[in-house]
Amino acid sequence: MNSTGIFSRIAILCLIPLFLNSCNDDDLKKAAEISSKKLVLSKDRSLKVEIVFSDSAVVKAKGYAPVLDQVNPSSGSKYQEMPKGVKITFFDPLQTVTGTIVSDYALRKETEQITIFRRNVVVVRNDLTFNTEELTWDQRKKMFFSPRGIVTRPDGTVLNAINFSAPEDFSSVDFEQGSGQTYVKGDLAP
């Protein structure tokens, strides 16, 4: 055996007690404390999911998500996450399509009955298109809310809307501090 091999083995043998001495009771207590705070959750993933929303056996909406994660945290309420986006199609009582919502991400909180759409959210209806980065659907209040967005009408009207709200059917829209362009038919003369 050469002298380099002997020196490297002696160095390793000298370092082992140093490594063992660096762990003490305090470190073990800290590790136990950290692991006790760790949230344990279960996550079930489903692919190509279709969700049907109905009221009194009448289909109101159908949602499609390429990926749906059902998350059950150890504390707190469970939720559904759609990391690859979602598309929801709304229907009238005769099952005619009345509008759609598309987003790149969505989160549905079951207990609160709230769905939050994020990133590239687009709502399309016959009389308007609404673009935003975040839209919240409160199923209990039967309302949609957004901190800001752009409302576009078929006549070319474009409005920047702050604190946007609309009923579930988007029959009307409310917002604050609106600005934009609109077109008026006919003369404005008195």
Side-chain angles (χ1 to χ4, degrees):
M1 190 177 254
N2 63 20
S3 62
T4 330
I6 293 172
F7 284 123
S8 62
R9 288 190 176 145
I10 291 173
I12 291 173
L13 288 174
C14 290
L15 290 176
I16 289 175
L18 181 64
F19 289 125
L20 293 175
N21 194 27
S22 67
C23 293
N24 58 31
D25 290 336
D26 290 338
D27 291 338
L28 294 175
K29 288 177 186 174
K30 287 178 186 175
E33 182 180 324
I34 291 170
S35 67
S36 69
K37 290 181 181 178
K38 186 178 175 183
L39 286 178
V40 178
L41 57 89
S42 69
K43 187 174 181 180
D44 297 317
R45 177 164 277 192
S46 300
L47 303 175
K48 298 180 182 178
V49 176
E50 185 173 288
I51 301 169
V52 177
F53 298 94
S54 63
D55 185 16
S56 303
V58 176
V59 174
K60 299 265 185 178
K62 287 184 181 177
Y64 172 77
V67 176
L68 183 126
D69 293 331
Q70 177 71 37
V71 181
N72 298 308
S74 61
S75 62
S77 58
K78 61 184 179 178
Y79 59 91
Q80 296 170 336
E81 186 176 30
M82 292 148 265
K84 300 284 185 181
V86 65
K87 178 179 181 178
I88 297 179
T89 305
F90 294 93
F91 300 95
D92 67 10
L94 300 175
Q95 297 304 292
T96 304
V97 174
T98 60
T100 60
I101 296 177
V102 179
S103 71
D104 290 346
Y105 172 86
L107 178 77
R108 182 168 187 269
K109 299 178 181 180
E110 291 183 29
T111 307
E112 295 92 344
Q113 291 186 346
I114 290 176
T115 304
I116 301 167
F117 304 93
R118 290 192 179 124
R119 295 192 310 266
N120 299 316
V121 182
V122 180
V123 178
V124 177
R125 292 193 34 96
N126 290 339
D127 57 345
L128 71 87
T129 300
F130 181 66
N131 298 74
T132 185
E133 286 301 306
E134 183 173 321
L135 182 68
T136 301
W137 178 20
D138 188 329
Q139 288 177 265
R140 288 184 182 154
K141 293 180 181 178
K142 298 185 183 227
M143 294 285 293
F144 284 97
F145 301 96
S146 179
R148 65 178 30 92
I150 299 172
V151 178
T152 308
R153 301 264 185 195
D155 67 358
T157 299
V158 178
L159 300 169
N160 294 313
I162 295 177
N163 294 330
F164 175 90
S165 65
E168 270 184 347
D169 64 357
F170 275 86
S171 57
S172 63
V173 296
D174 291 322
F175 52 88
E176 300 172 3
Q177 301 174 3
S179 63
Q181 294 180 343
T182 187
Y183 298 93
V184 180
K185 290 182 183 178
D187 270 341
L188 291 179

